[in-house]
């Protein structure tokens, strides 16, 4: 059963290999790609069902015992992330059936997509710092090629910024990992975690370095997750590729960065949390504020939404910085919420673009009058993102704000609430411009007929709308019936704050299941 | 025959079509209303009713309801007025293509509002609170293609939404400090909460939330703008129900937060200013709805003011006035809407003599206006008397001067409200007929039923006070009990309280109010409108809102220009500075400088040579103007690194490094020669350099170097303790079946890493292939076209 841990890595890999063998066979490729996504989702669901009761699963690659080989571990947080990633992978794969152009499809879009999913799942599941670096490389190269595939000038310009800054992050990651090994003599996360929990066995120098190295990791992961002041690559590149690529990037890439930050700053870098986690809080606040202000200044939907990714990352980091059971639960819940909300918004944006031919809010308009369904599909994720109850975003925000107030961290709470109203402001901007406003005179006439014609051509309505409908429904369900997801988030948070099971399963009883109390 | 009767009642077939749905949908609020009526007696007689469902136990949030006198009174108003509003909307918007949206939003709003007032859990109360803001946003923006509607909708949403977030913080503090999220449990802990050090911040946060929602000064400005909504919405949300949510919250939390002197001063001052200001500004408006909006602000101010006074009499006055206001204001708004609907204008300067053409509407408006003026025996009169009584009662608790101020504010507010009552009814309905855009005729039944019933209730309830104690014992006393959190509360309502000096004084003042109002109306009605343009506030809160909004947007644009400037070099600089800054801070505060520990022997001459070679090559890389030269120099650095690998006995690594460096240089050269664009891009970046920038870059690069080197020196100053090396060396042959440890590590111990890296290479190959192919395809396309 522990072999299940390999599945989220192996399934996308095999799918990608098949897809490469089927180069240019576009119809069969689509089929294989979908089968791969469904299998990945099922495997992720199965894995999650084993972990959800509170178990931690681990497996040692090639059976070399930890810390010598590479360990894969799934606790509640990582299994949940794999599940969400697989779900998004499937949803966007379905959506892209309608938006893919033959050119990109013929030049490896499908295999690249699956390799990216492999990298994402690998990063979620690995229990080894260097192995995590490898998965980051896999993600970086596949996302870079996906980003620039098509070779439009704007794509290349965005791509150069993307790859340069991200390579810098990788370099830092690698340097830091070398230094970490030089300091602690191990790169197994559980092993590191166990040693850090016996500070009496460490020298002063080691303890000091274990408060310095986190900064290097904060920068490396911080670039990946687009924190202030390292986020430049994101708004510079995310609006350049086709919308389904942006949607899956926004759902997964920055979130892996945050996942890794949460993992290492709960498991390993706990030597001086007053110091490190205060820095995290400061960065969290600045990320929220600069991100949302960036969004406020935009009139192009994709750019606006891209800046919001940055802003929301600040909330995720806030939960980590506060470092309490409730705040971490808030981060986990927020992660699920924001992945859903953000991708839904990009996907709806893609539909608007398809109908009206533009992402420019000045040129859009008239969608409320012509399509109440699209209006609802935008309204739910948009207002969920703004934290309006009873949608999912509210509970995420509530948990974080409550945790902040309980800890007396009033500055970050003030920032979180202020950013929340600005988020509402920029969401209503899209709503007022693209939906409420009458359509400005232009080439394309947006009316109900035109919408149904556009969506009906080439049977695109189903792949375009089905993922959005499902995601929007999930936002409502997670909002109105928040308890199951919150309970899982709290379980994840408790495991993060007390990784005894995680450490034991990896180091001491890897072959068996551990039942948490 | 039936058709004829229907049309005489204003229900002609064309109108039935649009409004029939309204009649049917109105059954929903009606059934709520009937249900709540059945609860009146049990609640008045016994304990409050509590119903609780678990909702989100992980966060302590329950979907729990508390039905006591206060929430029941609100629920009755919401469902009762709601019934007529739905019917009215059917007539008002008959034939509108989005009338279905109107019904949907109104019903959603009603449910949210009921949830708000009935909630026992403060978090679920907040959930409903926000829902009313959102439905209000959708309803104000109903005429969504008008810029005006969108602007007002957004303004209302931002003001109430920002207030809502502040309130959320306040409620969370309340829950944390009070140790419960249930109102019914918090009621008993008022003293403990008021003694807590967080009481003041908590109070201020909650008050800001309530004040924004209930349009108190200085947040009142959104309310008149919200009149952009269709009239049924204004009547329902923005006078009878939603704007009272703030008042409701203050009443609800009185047992928990109320009674302190901070509470008294903030509420009476803010409420008092709002009350007088609203009444004053109202009389200078010429738009019917605008007059009503400002008098609503006055009414809301009055309620906050009374809750601030906080005495038993003041609470009684607040409860009665709440009913009075909802009845007459709901009716008057609907009357104004009918006038607008039937004549095509709402400007009182263009209206007159409509009584003849719209008799039923006129009577309803007249009755409502009389209640608004506080004419006996209307309920408005009863309410006004208690307000004066409670104002006199202030003397028992506070200084005489405070009492005078309170009384003066109440009096001015009441007089001016009376004037407004004249403006909205006497002016349009009496006098001579004027020409209006449309030829006036009576509104359909769907549009006069509500005003007639509501305004008649104002009269009947007022009369009932004389011979029945139903109102005071069944409605008013239980509501007061809930606000004061006491069981034995007695309300006393009457039209005539007797001939004691104090009651005579109240009665006299009450009569004087009416006389003064009529006097001012007759003397001033002509001149108010003409000077209306000149009457503006010296400092307008809306300008403040606009200033803040514009400021925020310019800040956003400025910030984005500065941060997201588009130059890669700048981005890299920031990353490097962050690294050196935060990293240096951490290192020097946590570790400090560590003296380097040299390896057993001091570096040899050839080692110095290699280092020197790297240094020279690095300088060349930076200094050379030719890209080609720079790349070659960079290759030299790589070769030098490979030499170091050889020196430290890692030939595999050295070979890899040599081949990679060679390939890199070749590829770079190829690319530079093939693709002019990239060369161009890079040279653009270089062209921006200046000596000053180079020095800056040198400093930043230098500090990063110093930082990284310092860490390296620190790490190497202690011997590395690791079991890994031994394990790999020992296991390599027996279990890894290989004599080259590095190889075994790569393909066995850490085979998973290698698989990942191979994948990376494969993807890179796809990327290069696709990029070139697609690019060439595009080039070819461009050339042919």
């Amino acid at each position: 059963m522990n072999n299940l841990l390999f599945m989220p890595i192996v399934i996308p890999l095999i799918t990608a290999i098949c897809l490469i063998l089927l180069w240019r066979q576009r119809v069969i490729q689509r089929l294989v790609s979908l089968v791969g996504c469904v299998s990945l989702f099922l495997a992720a669901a199965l894995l999650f069902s084993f972990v959800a009761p509170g178990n931690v699963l681990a497996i040692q690659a090639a059976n070399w015992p930890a810390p010598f080989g590479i360990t894969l571990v799934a606790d509640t947080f990582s299994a949940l992330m794999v599940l969400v990633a697989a779900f998004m992978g499937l949803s966007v794969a379905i959506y892209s059936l309608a938006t893919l152009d033959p050119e990109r499809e013929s030049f490896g879009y499908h295999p690249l997509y699956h390799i990216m999913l492999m990298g994402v799942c690998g990063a979620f599941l690995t229990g080894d710092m260097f192995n995590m670096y490898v998965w980051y490389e896999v993600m970086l190269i596949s996302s870079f090629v996906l980003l620039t595939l098509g070779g439009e000038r704007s794509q290349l310009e965005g791509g150069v910024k993307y790859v340069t800054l991200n390579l810098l992050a990788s370099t830092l990651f690698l340097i830091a990992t070398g230094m970490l090994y030089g300091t602690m003599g191990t790169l197994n996360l559980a092993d590191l975690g166990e040693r850090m929990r016996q500070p009496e066995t460490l020298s002063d120098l080691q303890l000091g370095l274990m408060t310095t190295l986190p900064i290097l990791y904060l920068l490396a992961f911080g670039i990946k997750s687009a924190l202030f002041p390292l986020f430049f690559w994101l708004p510079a590149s995310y609006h350049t590729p086709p919308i389904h690529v942006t949607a899956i990037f926004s759902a997964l890439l920055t979130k892996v960065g945050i996942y890794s930050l949460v993992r290492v700053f709960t498991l390993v870098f706990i030597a001086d949390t007053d110091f490190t986690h205060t820095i995290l809080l400061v960065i969290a606040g600045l990320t929220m504020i600069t991100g949302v202000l960036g969004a406020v200044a935009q009139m192009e939907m994709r750019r606006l939404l891209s800046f919001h990714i940055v802003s929301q990352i600040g909330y995720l980091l806030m939960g980590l910085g506060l470092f309490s059971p409730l705040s971490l639960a808030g981060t986990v819940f927020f992660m699920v919420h924001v992945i859903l909300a953000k991708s839904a918004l990009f996907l709806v944006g893609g539909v608007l673009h398809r109908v009206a031919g533009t992402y420019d809010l000045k040129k859009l308009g008239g969608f409320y009058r012509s399509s109440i369904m699209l209006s609802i599909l935008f309204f739910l994720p948009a207002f969920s993102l703004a934290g309006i109850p009873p949608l999912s975003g509210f509970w995420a925000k509530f948990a974080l704000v409550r945790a902040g107030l309980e800890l007396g961290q009033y500055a970050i709470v003030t920032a979180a609430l202020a950013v929340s109203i600005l988020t509402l402001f920029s969401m209503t901007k899209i709503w007022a411009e693209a939906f409420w406003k009458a359509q400005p005179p232009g080439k394309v006439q947006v009316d109900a007929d035109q919408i149904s014609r556009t969506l009906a051509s080439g049977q695109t309505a189903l792949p375009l709308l089905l993922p959005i409908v499902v995601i929007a429904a999930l936002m409502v369900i997670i909002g109105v019936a928040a308890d199951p997801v919150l309970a899982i988030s709290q379980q994840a948070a408790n495991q993060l704050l007390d990784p005894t099971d995680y450490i034991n399963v990896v180091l001491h009883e890897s072959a068996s299941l551990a039942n948490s109390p | 025959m039936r058709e004829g009767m229907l049309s005489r009642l204003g229900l002609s077939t064309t109108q039935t079509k649009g409004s029939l749905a309204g009649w049917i949908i109105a059954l929903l609020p009606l059934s709520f209303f009937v249900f709540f009526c059945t609860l009146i007696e049990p609640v008045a007689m016994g304990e409050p009713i509590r119903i609780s469902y678990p909702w989100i136990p992980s966060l302590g949030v329950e979907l729990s309801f508390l039905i006591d006198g206060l929430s029941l009174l609100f629920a009755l108003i919401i469902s009762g007025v709601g019934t007529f509003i739905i019917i009215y909307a059917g007539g008002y918007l008959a034939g509108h293509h989005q009338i279905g949206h109107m019904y949907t939003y109104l019903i959603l709003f009603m449910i949210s509002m009921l949830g708000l007032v009935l909630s026992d859990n403060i978090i679920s109360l907040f959930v409903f609170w926000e829902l009313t803001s959102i439905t209000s946003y959708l309803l104000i923006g109903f005429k969504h293609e008008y810029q005006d509607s969108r602007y007002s909708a957004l303004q209302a949403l931002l003001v109430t939404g920002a207030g809502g977030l502040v309130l959320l913080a306040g409620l969370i503090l309340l829950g944390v400090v009070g140790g419960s999220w249930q109102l019914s449990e918090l009621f008993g802990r008022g003293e403990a909460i008021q003694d807590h050090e967080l009481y003041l911040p908590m109070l201020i946060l909650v008050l800001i939330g309530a004040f924004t929602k209930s349009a108190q000064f200085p947040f009142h400005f959104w309310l008149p703008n919200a009149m952009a909504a269709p009239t049924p919405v204004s009547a329902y949300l923005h006078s009878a129900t939603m704007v009272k949510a703030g008042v409701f919250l203050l009443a609800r939390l009185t047992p928990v937060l109320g009674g302190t002197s901070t509470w008294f001063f903030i509420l009476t001052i803010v409420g008092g200013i709002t009350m007088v200001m609203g009444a004053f500004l109202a009389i200078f408006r010429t738009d019917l709805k605008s007059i009503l909006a400002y008098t609503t602000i006055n009414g809301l101010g009055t309620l906050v003011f009374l809750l601030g006074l906080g005495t038993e009499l003041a609470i009684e006055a607040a409860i009665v006035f709440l009913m009075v206001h909802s009845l007459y204001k709901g009716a008057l708004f609907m009357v104004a809407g009918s006038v607008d609907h039937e004549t095509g204008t709402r400007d009182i300067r263009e209206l007159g003599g409509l009584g003849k053409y719209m008799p039923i509407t006129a009577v309803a408006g007249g009755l409502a206006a009389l209640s608004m003026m506080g004419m006996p025996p209307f309920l408005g009169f009863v309410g006004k008397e208690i307000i004066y009584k409670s104002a006199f009662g202030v003397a028992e608790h506070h200084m005489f001067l405070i009492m005078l101020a309170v009384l003066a504010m109440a009096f001015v507010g009441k007089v001016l409200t009376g004037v407004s009552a004249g403006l909205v009814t006497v002016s349009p309905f009496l006098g001579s007929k004027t020409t209006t855009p449309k030829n006036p005729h009576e509104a359909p039944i769907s549009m006069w039923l509500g005003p007639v019933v509501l305004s008649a209730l104002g009269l009947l309830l007022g009369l009932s006070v004389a011979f029945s104690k139903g109102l005071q014992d069944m409605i008013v006393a239980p509501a007061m009990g809930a606000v004061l959190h006491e069981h034995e509360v007695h309300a006393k309502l009457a039209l005539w309280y007797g001939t004691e000096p104090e009651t005579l004084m109240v009665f006299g003042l009450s009569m004087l109010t009416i006389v003064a109002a009529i006097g001012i109306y007759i003397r001033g009605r002509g001149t108010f409108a003409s000077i209306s343009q000149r009457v503006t506030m010296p400092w307008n809160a809306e300008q403040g809102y606009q200033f803040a909004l514009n400021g925020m947007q310019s800040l956003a644009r400025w910030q984005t220009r500065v941060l997201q400037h588009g130059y890669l070099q700048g981005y890299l600089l920031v990353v490097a500075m962050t690294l050196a800054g935060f990293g240096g801070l951490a290192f020097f505060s946590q570790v400090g400088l560590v003296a380097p520990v040299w390896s057993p022997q001091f570096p040899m001459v050839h080692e110095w040579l290699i280092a020197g070679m790297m240094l020279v090559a690095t300088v060349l890389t930076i200094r050379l103007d030719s890209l080609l030269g720079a790349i070659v120099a960079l290759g030299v650095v790589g070769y030098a690194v490979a030499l170091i690998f050889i020196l430290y006995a890692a030939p595999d690594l050295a070979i890899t490094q040599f081949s990679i460096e060679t390939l890199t240089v070749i590829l770079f050269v190829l690319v530079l020669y093939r693709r002019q664009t990239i060369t161009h891009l890079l040279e653009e970046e270089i062209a921006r350099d200046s000596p000053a920038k180079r020095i800056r870059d040198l400093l930043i690069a230098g500090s990063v170097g110093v930082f990284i080197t310092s860490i390296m020196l620190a790490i190497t100053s202690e011997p590395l303790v690791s079991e890994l090396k031994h394990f790999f060396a020992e296991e390599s042959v027996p279990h890894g079946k290989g004599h080259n440890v590095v190889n075994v590590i790569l393909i066995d111990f850490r085979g998973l890493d290698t698989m990942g890296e191979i994948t990376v290479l494969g993807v890179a190959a796809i990327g290069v292939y696709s990029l070139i192919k697609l690019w060439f395809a595009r080039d070819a396309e461009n050339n042919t076209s």
Side-chain angles (χ1 to χ4, degrees), chain A residues 255-312:
Chain A
K255 309 307 179 289
V256 179
I258 283 291
Y259 166 86
S260 308
L261 279 173
V262 170
R263 179 63 74 200
V264 299
F265 277 87
T266 53
L267 185 58
V268 181
F269 298 130
I270 47 158
D272 185 355
T273 49
D274 280 348
F275 179 77
T276 48
H277 289 62
T278 305
I279 293 184
L280 290 182
L281 272 187
V282 172
I283 293 181
L286 291 170
T287 307
M288 285 176 199
I289 295 169
T290 47
V292 84
L293 286 176
V296 164
Q298 305 302 317
M299 276 308 269
E300 208 259 36
M301 252 185 107
R302 290 176 303 176
R303 286 175 188 264
L304 193 157
L305 292 174
S306 297
F307 272 105
H308 268 297
I309 300 177
V310 175
S311 177
Q312 304 293 316

Side-chain angles (χ1 to χ4, degrees), chain B residues 440-663:
Chain B
H441 52 76
E442 185 56 84
I445 178 173
S446 53
M447 291 175 64
W448 59 248
L449 184 66
V452 166
V453 173
L454 294 183
S455 58
L457 265 177
L459 176 60
L460 294 177
L461 287 177
L463 283 172
S464 80
V465 165
F467 46 82
S468 149
K469 294 194 172 209
L471 185 66
Q472 73 178 45
D473 291 347
M474 289 295 168
I475 303 282
V476 178
M480 287 168 62
V483 176
L484 297 164
H485 195 55
E486 282 167 28
H487 288 296
E488 298 296 314
V489 179
H490 293 289
K492 190 168 179 338
L493 302 180
L495 289 170
W496 179 252
Y497 291 94
T499 52
E500 288 147 40
E502 196 181 328
T503 53
L504 281 180
M505 215 151 71
V506 168
F507 183 77
L509 198 60
S510 185
M511 289 299 122
L512 185 63
T513 314
I514 298 171
V515 174
I518 294 174
I520 294 175
Y521 173 73
I522 292 173
R523 293 289 304 261
R525 64 181 159 175
T527 46
F528 293 143
S530 59
I531 57 169
S532 64
Q533 298 308 318
R534 271 175 282 157
V535 181
T536 46
M537 298 285 284
W539 182 77
N540 189 337
E542 190 174 359
Q543 285 167 357
Y545 161 85
Q546 203 56 51
F547 181 77
L549 199 62
N550 292 341
M552 185 272 293
Q553 285 179 292
S554 341
L555 173 70
R557 279 189 295 271
W558 171 81
Q559 179 226 263
T560 311
R561 258 201 322 275
V562 170
L563 284 181
Q564 198 72 30
H565 44 63
Y567 300 120
L568 183 55
Q569 205 187 12
Y571 298 159
L572 291 171
L573 270 179
V574 173
V575 174
M577 286 193 313
T578 315
L579 174 64
F582 273 127
L585 174 73
F587 183 76
F588 292 109
S589 70
Q590 304 290 327
V591 183
L593 272 181
V594 178
V597 177
W598 299 109
S599 44
Q601 67 273 57
F602 198 72
M604 302 288 288
V605 180
H606 57 274
E607 286 173 317
W608 284 111
L609 273 176
I610 296 173
M613 190 166 104
M614 286 168 83
L615 208 62
V616 171
T618 310
V619 172
L620 281 177
T621 313
I622 300 166
R623 295 297 308 173
L624 282 177
D625 283 335
S626 134
L627 272 176
L628 196 60
I631 286 161
V632 172
L634 198 59
V636 173
V637 180
Y639 271 60
V641 172
L643 285 177
I644 295 181
F645 286 149
I646 292 180
L647 284 181
Y648 286 90
D652 327 39
L653 287 184
I655 291 167
T656 320
Q657 179 79 14
F658 276 129
S659 32
I660 287 175
E661 285 304 330
T662 315
L663 261 178

Side-chain angles (χ1 to χ4, degrees), chain B residues 230-499:
Chain B
T231 305
V233 176
S234 312
Y236 193 33
L237 275 73
H238 305 122
S239 77
T241 57
M242 188 190 88
V243 288
K244 298 219 172 77
V247 173
F248 167 81
L249 186 73
L250 296 179
R252 185 87 283 182
L253 292 177
T254 296
V256 187
L257 299 175
T260 61
S261 57
T262 324
W263 170 278
F264 171 84
F265 282 109
I266 297 182
L267 262 64
T268 47
I269 291 171
V270 171
I273 292 176
T274 311
M275 175 167 83
V276 174
M277 179 200 67
F280 179 71
L281 292 177
I283 60 174
F284 295 102
R285 306 295 114 184
T286 53
D287 176 1
L288 279 178
K289 277 180 81 175
S290 185
I291 299 174
L292 290 174
Y294 279 101
T295 56
T296 303
I297 292 176
N298 154 273
L300 295 167
T302 310
L303 287 166
V304 170
F305 177 75
L306 290 170
L307 288 172
L309 293 182
T311 58
E312 199 170 315
L313 262 177
I315 301 298
E316 183 181 351
I319 300 294
V320 176
F321 184 68
L322 174 76
M323 291 191 285
V324 173
H325 184 257
S326 298
L327 291 175
Y328 78 67
K329 195 53 69 63
L332 282 176
F333 259 112
M334 288 194 262
V335 166
S338 299
V339 169
D340 183 20
H341 197 259
E342 303 308 329
T343 65
T345 179
R346 296 193 309 239
D347 192 323
I348 54 172
R349 288 168 299 186
E350 298 176 9
L351 293 167
L354 288 175
K356 237 186 282 175
Y357 304 90
M358 312 176 64
I360 308 176
T361 308
V363 168
L367 291 178
L370 289 174
S371 188
M372 182 172 171
M373 286 181 81
M375 203 65 102
F378 286 85
L379 193 58
F381 170 75
V382 180
K384 188 174 57 175
E385 292 236 304
I386 313 175
I387 292 177
Y388 286 148
K389 260 166 72 178
S390 58
F392 278 114
V394 169
E396 290 170 27
H397 304 277
H398 298 278
M399 282 184 300
F400 184 70
L401 266 178
I402 293 182
M403 185 209 73
L404 271 189
V406 165
L407 203 57
M409 284 199 280
F411 180 74
V412 172
K414 284 287 147 198
V415 170
L416 294 173
T417 314
V419 177
S420 296
L423 287 174
V424 292
T425 49
V426 179
S427 303
F429 290 111
L430 299 182
S432 53
K433 161 101 174 55
T434 54
T435 43
T436 49
K438 276 158 94 182
N439 264 340
H441 52 76
E442 185 56 84
I445 178 173
S446 53
M447 291 175 64
W448 59 248
L449 184 66
V452 166
V453 173
L454 294 183
S455 58
L457 265 177
L459 176 60
L460 294 177
L461 287 177
L463 283 172
S464 80
V465 165
F467 46 82
S468 149
K469 294 194 172 209
L471 185 66
Q472 73 178 45
D473 291 347
M474 289 295 168
I475 303 282
V476 178
M480 287 168 62
V483 176
L484 297 164
H485 195 55
E486 282 167 28
H487 288 296
E488 298 296 314
V489 179
H490 293 289
K492 190 168 179 338
L493 302 180
L495 289 170
W496 179 252
Y497 291 94
T499 52

Side-chain angles (χ1 to χ4, degrees), chain A residues 64 128 131 156 368 480 483, chain B residues 55 58 105 748 750 753 775:
Chain A
W64 295 108
D128 183 282
N131 192 237
L156 285 182
Y368 181 75
V480 174
D483 206 57
Chain B
W55 186 10
S58 322
Y105 297 150
D748 196 342
R750 301 196 63 100
D753 288 342
W775 193 307

